[in-house]
Amino acid sequence: MSHTHPRTDQHTNTGTRPSEPKDEPNTASKDDAANSVQYTCPMHPEIIRDAPGACPICGMALEPMTPTNTPNQELIDFTRRMWISVAAAVPLIVLTMGPMAGLPVRDWLGAKTAGYLEFALATPVVLWAALPFFKRGWASLVNRSSNMWTLISLGVAAAYIYSLFAVFLPGLFPQQYRTGDGVGTYFEASVVIVALVFFGQVLELRARERTGDAIRALLDLAPKTARRIETDGTERDVPLGTIEAGDRLRVRPGDSVPVDGKVIEGRSSLDESMLTGEAMPVEKGPGDAVTGATINKNGSLVIEASKVGADTVLAQIVEMVSNAKRSRAPIQGLADRVSAIFVPTVVGVSVFAFVAWMIFGPDPALVFAMAAAVSVLIVACPCALGLATPISITTAAGRGAQAGVLIKDAEALERMAAVDTLIVDKTGTLTMGKPKLTDTVALGDVNEAELLSLAAALERGSEHPLAEAIVEAAEAADAARQEATDFEAITGKGVRGTIVGRAVALGNTAMMQEMGLDTGAAEEKANALRTEGKTAMFIAVDGVIAGIVAVADPIKDSTAQAIKELHALGLRVIMATGDNERTAQAVAGKLGIDEVRAGVLPADKKALIDQLRKDGHKIAMAGDGVNDAPALAAADVGIAMGTGADVAMESAGITLLGGDLMGIVRARKLARATLRNIKQNLFFAFAYNAVGVPIAAGLLYPVTGLLLSPMIAAAAMSLSSVSVITNALRLRRVKL
């Protein structure tokens, strides 16, 4: 089924919230917004509906195409139904399984009374709690798309109907089906199946509920108001939604830039890490472009709005994240792939058993035929199959948290086991994300300690991002503290002033040349530092270049070992960064990274992932900035560094606490162990079916006269679930 819909922007301005007061309230706006929300299936994005419900193909709950702040009603409803099912399942298990544990509860009550009590406990669960399962099972039949809901609904219905006859019409059953003075029932099987399936559904819905947080976190980056300069020169704060292109806006120190625009007055340093991922703020002056949601560090700016609403860079990033989340088809679970064959096979065996008993069975043939057909469905009902994946994922998530690896959803672990290419950002991922002084080089009579003291004296008056690194290094080295007078900051070039009667300047080549100084002799040394990925600055004292200081973002101590182990785990590592080519190549050379993509923007990272996927690769992306959010969402697995932006963590399926790149190694090992565990669980689940289905069909009856009794069938299903849970718990001890 395919639908084509015109594009509808749910947020025409990134700063507007439904709860914000408008200048002219519209009482119908909320209803209109609610009615405009459309829902799609994460596995089948071609399915689009105007209301929540279930996918007609796979039965999965539809999710909103654009995240909303309304509670997930299905999660609330399923949680309530799950607890009611559990409350009924516990006494039912005691009633039916008690004799195996030395508690003959049925003997105490009597078979008839116990049967009535089981009926009273099971009926609300089957006829009310399990109603959504029956609807999905019926839809699978109507749409000719058999899935797990087909077997679940058939199995639960068969167990319940069989049990009704066993309690109220026991005389219809042959002697082989009698246990004492009654006929065994499947009430407990039907209720336990319902409870276990609800447990898995609640786990899944809770994980999927968080997928929209990434978009909401992005939207929260933009301020809700902007300070507009009116035509008469007055200034007032207005809702961001009222800003139009061409408006003049004041951006004060510490404020976020409200929209994309151009500086027309003032100079300042802007923190653009939300866009570039780089820790160093950027100097801005008249004529320079600014981006909405970046942060003004110091001076006051007046900007002219050029792009507002859905046209801003932030809004485009929001749209990229939303589209990537919506278009990325989660892998089909192993259970679903097997069920595509298993479901029709079991139904076929059930029909075959019915026909065979009708033709060859003893009298009463109809009762034997019905009992055999129903027994096949009950034994094959996939309660353990429903637990196989959720219980492993739940256990693995706990083990991962102990190792500093937070797992957001089941698909992330499954995909992580299959990826062959890892894309990493540089700043904050491979490096510390904070500049530090790395070199102080004396070129004349002034020694290194004095150079550091002079540089720190100048930088104490500067708010440049490199200044903090120099001042911190001087304090750490206990360098003599000196004070600068006549301080002057030259935007984009450096700083200068007078220190104890000496004229001192600190800056780049352009500043030295502006002062009439020849950097030729020192340039070779500076270039050598730059080749190592460092930012080199000259220090001039009384008109003579006296030395060089270099600042760089250090590589994390664990990065080199992590890259080595990732290679050993079969991953190709690509570094994609917004930094310059020379710095990127220098870092990559030290770490043995396979490939470098430098100077890339957020859209370029996503395009790189799309191209690699087209080439047949499975991609994992690791990053820590808002600029990484679209790529994290588009990758098969997004890996966020825990020290980075919240939106990066919300867009990713895996988050590394503390930002340690070794966490990716641990995540890879955990993913592989989990996938093996899930396969083992599925084997346990289907092994019982492989043995139980033929016996339930009556294959041994002609030879041994053996028929599968309800108690044995229920015990077999319980044993399969216990086997699955026990196996999954082994993940708690997996070595990472």
Side-chain angles (χ1 to χ4, degrees), residues 514-526:
E514 184 179 278
M515 295 171 60
L517 303 180
D518 182 11
T519 61
E523 201 68 49
E524 182 178 349
K525 181 62 178 176

mmCIF file with all atom_site columns, all heavy atoms in Angstrom, residues 514-526:
data_model
loop_
_atom_site.group_PDB
_atom_site.id
_atom_site.type_symbol
_atom_site.label_atom_id
_atom_site.label_alt_id
_atom_site.label_comp_id
_atom_site.label_asym_id
_atom_site.label_entity_id
_atom_site.label_seq_id
_atom_site.pdbx_PDB_ins_code
_atom_site.Cartn_x
_atom_site.Cartn_y
_atom_site.Cartn_z
_atom_site.occupancy
_atom_site.B_iso_or_equiv
_atom_site.pdbx_formal_charge
_atom_site.auth_seq_id
_atom_site.auth_comp_id
_atom_site.auth_asym_id
_atom_site.auth_atom_id
_atom_site.pdbx_PDB_model_num
ATOM 1  N N   . GLU A 1 514 ? 51.095 43.028 9.894  1.00 0.00 ? 514 GLU A N   1
ATOM 2  C CA  . GLU A 1 514 ? 50.495 44.351 10.068 1.00 0.00 ? 514 GLU A CA  1
ATOM 3  C C   . GLU A 1 514 ? 51.394 45.247 10.913 1.00 0.00 ? 514 GLU A C   1
ATOM 4  O O   . GLU A 1 514 ? 51.437 46.464 10.731 1.00 0.00 ? 514 GLU A O   1
ATOM 5  C CB  . GLU A 1 514 ? 49.124 44.198 10.726 1.00 0.00 ? 514 GLU A CB  1
ATOM 6  C CG  . GLU A 1 514 ? 48.361 45.511 10.873 1.00 0.00 ? 514 GLU A CG  1
ATOM 7  C CD  . GLU A 1 514 ? 47.002 45.300 11.513 1.00 0.00 ? 514 GLU A CD  1
ATOM 8  O OE1 . GLU A 1 514 ? 46.062 44.919 10.798 1.00 0.00 ? 514 GLU A OE1 1
ATOM 9  O OE2 . GLU A 1 514 ? 46.888 45.497 12.738 1.00 0.00 ? 514 GLU A OE2 1
ATOM 10 N N   . MET A 1 515 ? 52.144 44.604 11.838 1.00 0.00 ? 515 MET A N   1
ATOM 11 C CA  . MET A 1 515 ? 53.068 45.352 12.687 1.00 0.00 ? 515 MET A CA  1
ATOM 12 C C   . MET A 1 515 ? 54.419 45.573 12.009 1.00 0.00 ? 515 MET A C   1
ATOM 13 O O   . MET A 1 515 ? 55.331 46.162 12.599 1.00 0.00 ? 515 MET A O   1
ATOM 14 C CB  . MET A 1 515 ? 53.273 44.595 14.004 1.00 0.00 ? 515 MET A CB  1
ATOM 15 C CG  . MET A 1 515 ? 52.012 44.488 14.860 1.00 0.00 ? 515 MET A CG  1
ATOM 16 S SD  . MET A 1 515 ? 52.244 43.371 16.287 1.00 0.00 ? 515 MET A SD  1
ATOM 17 C CE  . MET A 1 515 ? 53.605 44.186 17.152 1.00 0.00 ? 515 MET A CE  1
ATOM 18 N N   . GLY A 1 516 ? 54.558 45.067 10.766 1.00 0.00 ? 516 GLY A N   1
ATOM 19 C CA  . GLY A 1 516 ? 55.797 45.247 10.030 1.00 0.00 ? 516 GLY A CA  1
ATOM 20 C C   . GLY A 1 516 ? 56.878 44.260 10.396 1.00 0.00 ? 516 GLY A C   1
ATOM 21 O O   . GLY A 1 516 ? 58.065 44.502 10.110 1.00 0.00 ? 516 GLY A O   1
ATOM 22 N N   . LEU A 1 517 ? 56.487 43.123 11.013 1.00 0.00 ? 517 LEU A N   1
ATOM 23 C CA  . LEU A 1 517 ? 57.473 42.122 11.422 1.00 0.00 ? 517 LEU A CA  1
ATOM 24 C C   . LEU A 1 517 ? 57.543 40.999 10.401 1.00 0.00 ? 517 LEU A C   1
ATOM 25 O O   . LEU A 1 517 ? 56.529 40.591 9.833  1.00 0.00 ? 517 LEU A O   1
ATOM 26 C CB  . LEU A 1 517 ? 57.110 41.554 12.797 1.00 0.00 ? 517 LEU A CB  1
ATOM 27 C CG  . LEU A 1 517 ? 56.973 42.576 13.933 1.00 0.00 ? 517 LEU A CG  1
ATOM 28 C CD1 . LEU A 1 517 ? 56.607 41.871 15.235 1.00 0.00 ? 517 LEU A CD1 1
ATOM 29 C CD2 . LEU A 1 517 ? 58.264 43.367 14.101 1.00 0.00 ? 517 LEU A CD2 1
ATOM 30 N N   . ASP A 1 518 ? 58.739 40.499 10.184 1.00 0.00 ? 518 ASP A N   1
ATOM 31 C CA  . ASP A 1 518 ? 58.957 39.407 9.244  1.00 0.00 ? 518 ASP A CA  1
ATOM 32 C C   . ASP A 1 518 ? 58.882 38.070 9.996  1.00 0.00 ? 518 ASP A C   1
ATOM 33 O O   . ASP A 1 518 ? 59.685 37.821 10.894 1.00 0.00 ? 518 ASP A O   1
ATOM 34 C CB  . ASP A 1 518 ? 60.326 39.561 8.575  1.00 0.00 ? 518 ASP A CB  1
ATOM 35 C CG  . ASP A 1 518 ? 60.574 38.471 7.539  1.00 0.00 ? 518 ASP A CG  1
ATOM 36 O OD1 . ASP A 1 518 ? 59.605 37.740 7.208  1.00 0.00 ? 518 ASP A OD1 1
ATOM 37 O OD2 . ASP A 1 518 ? 61.722 38.352 7.073  1.00 0.00 ? 518 ASP A OD2 1
ATOM 38 N N   . THR A 1 519 ? 57.936 37.229 9.601  1.00 0.00 ? 519 THR A N   1
ATOM 39 C CA  . THR A 1 519 ? 57.768 35.930 10.280 1.00 0.00 ? 519 THR A CA  1
ATOM 40 C C   . THR A 1 519 ? 58.506 34.811 9.556  1.00 0.00 ? 519 THR A C   1
ATOM 41 O O   . THR A 1 519 ? 58.379 33.640 9.942  1.00 0.00 ? 519 THR A O   1
ATOM 42 C CB  . THR A 1 519 ? 56.276 35.566 10.368 1.00 0.00 ? 519 THR A CB  1
ATOM 43 O OG1 . THR A 1 519 ? 55.749 35.449 9.034  1.00 0.00 ? 519 THR A OG1 1
ATOM 44 C CG2 . THR A 1 519 ? 55.497 36.608 11.144 1.00 0.00 ? 519 THR A CG2 1
ATOM 45 N N   . GLY A 1 520 ? 59.230 35.156 8.522  1.00 0.00 ? 520 GLY A N   1
ATOM 46 C CA  . GLY A 1 520 ? 59.851 34.133 7.683  1.00 0.00 ? 520 GLY A CA  1
ATOM 47 C C   . GLY A 1 520 ? 60.656 33.112 8.456  1.00 0.00 ? 520 GLY A C   1
ATOM 48 O O   . GLY A 1 520 ? 60.524 31.897 8.267  1.00 0.00 ? 520 GLY A O   1
ATOM 49 N N   . ALA A 1 521 ? 61.528 33.586 9.361  1.00 0.00 ? 521 ALA A N   1
ATOM 50 C CA  . ALA A 1 521 ? 62.402 32.667 10.092 1.00 0.00 ? 521 ALA A CA  1
ATOM 51 C C   . ALA A 1 521 ? 61.605 31.765 11.033 1.00 0.00 ? 521 ALA A C   1
ATOM 52 O O   . ALA A 1 521 ? 61.993 30.619 11.290 1.00 0.00 ? 521 ALA A O   1
ATOM 53 C CB  . ALA A 1 521 ? 63.432 33.473 10.883 1.00 0.00 ? 521 ALA A CB  1
ATOM 54 N N   . ALA A 1 522 ? 60.479 32.273 11.576 1.00 0.00 ? 522 ALA A N   1
ATOM 55 C CA  . ALA A 1 522 ? 59.689 31.493 12.538 1.00 0.00 ? 522 ALA A CA  1
ATOM 56 C C   . ALA A 1 522 ? 58.586 30.672 11.863 1.00 0.00 ? 522 ALA A C   1
ATOM 57 O O   . ALA A 1 522 ? 58.003 29.783 12.493 1.00 0.00 ? 522 ALA A O   1
ATOM 58 C CB  . ALA A 1 522 ? 59.068 32.429 13.573 1.00 0.00 ? 522 ALA A CB  1
ATOM 59 N N   . GLU A 1 523 ? 58.311 30.984 10.592 1.00 0.00 ? 523 GLU A N   1
ATOM 60 C CA  . GLU A 1 523 ? 57.173 30.345 9.920  1.00 0.00 ? 523 GLU A CA  1
ATOM 61 C C   . GLU A 1 523 ? 57.367 28.842 9.765  1.00 0.00 ? 523 GLU A C   1
ATOM 62 O O   . GLU A 1 523 ? 56.405 28.064 9.842  1.00 0.00 ? 523 GLU A O   1
ATOM 63 C CB  . GLU A 1 523 ? 56.974 30.979 8.540  1.00 0.00 ? 523 GLU A CB  1
ATOM 64 C CG  . GLU A 1 523 ? 55.585 30.779 7.956  1.00 0.00 ? 523 GLU A CG  1
ATOM 65 C CD  . GLU A 1 523 ? 54.525 31.547 8.728  1.00 0.00 ? 523 GLU A CD  1
ATOM 66 O OE1 . GLU A 1 523 ? 54.721 32.743 8.991  1.00 0.00 ? 523 GLU A OE1 1
ATOM 67 O OE2 . GLU A 1 523 ? 53.499 30.905 9.081  1.00 0.00 ? 523 GLU A OE2 1
ATOM 68 N N   . GLU A 1 524 ? 58.615 28.416 9.527  1.00 0.00 ? 524 GLU A N   1
ATOM 69 C CA  . GLU A 1 524 ? 58.858 26.980 9.350  1.00 0.00 ? 524 GLU A CA  1
ATOM 70 C C   . GLU A 1 524 ? 58.485 26.202 10.606 1.00 0.00 ? 524 GLU A C   1
ATOM 71 O O   . GLU A 1 524 ? 57.858 25.139 10.539 1.00 0.00 ? 524 GLU A O   1
ATOM 72 C CB  . GLU A 1 524 ? 60.330 26.747 8.997  1.00 0.00 ? 524 GLU A CB  1
ATOM 73 C CG  . GLU A 1 524 ? 60.649 25.271 8.740  1.00 0.00 ? 524 GLU A CG  1
ATOM 74 C CD  . GLU A 1 524 ? 62.101 25.063 8.332  1.00 0.00 ? 524 GLU A CD  1
ATOM 75 O OE1 . GLU A 1 524 ? 62.798 26.066 8.055  1.00 0.00 ? 524 GLU A OE1 1
ATOM 76 O OE2 . GLU A 1 524 ? 62.531 23.888 8.289  1.00 0.00 ? 524 GLU A OE2 1
ATOM 77 N N   . LYS A 1 525 ? 58.876 26.762 11.764 1.00 0.00 ? 525 LYS A N   1
ATOM 78 C CA  . LYS A 1 525 ? 58.532 26.106 13.026 1.00 0.00 ? 525 LYS A CA  1
ATOM 79 C C   . LYS A 1 525 ? 57.020 26.122 13.259 1.00 0.00 ? 525 LYS A C   1
ATOM 80 O O   . LYS A 1 525 ? 56.428 25.126 13.712 1.00 0.00 ? 525 LYS A O   1
ATOM 81 C CB  . LYS A 1 525 ? 59.248 26.800 14.180 1.00 0.00 ? 525 LYS A CB  1
ATOM 82 C CG  . LYS A 1 525 ? 58.967 26.182 15.548 1.00 0.00 ? 525 LYS A CG  1
ATOM 83 C CD  . LYS A 1 525 ? 59.430 24.733 15.631 1.00 0.00 ? 525 LYS A CD  1
ATOM 84 C CE  . LYS A 1 525 ? 59.189 24.147 16.997 1.00 0.00 ? 525 LYS A CE  1
ATOM 85 N NZ  . LYS A 1 525 ? 59.554 22.708 17.079 1.00 0.00 ? 525 LYS A NZ  1
ATOM 86 N N   . ALA A 1 526 ? 56.390 27.226 12.914 1.00 0.00 ? 526 ALA A N   1
ATOM 87 C CA  . ALA A 1 526 ? 54.941 27.335 13.085 1.00 0.00 ? 526 ALA A CA  1
ATOM 88 C C   . ALA A 1 526 ? 54.215 26.337 12.189 1.00 0.00 ? 526 ALA A C   1
ATOM 89 O O   . ALA A 1 526 ? 53.238 25.704 12.604 1.00 0.00 ? 526 ALA A O   1
ATOM 90 C CB  . ALA A 1 526 ? 54.482 28.759 12.775 1.00 0.00 ? 526 ALA A CB  1
#
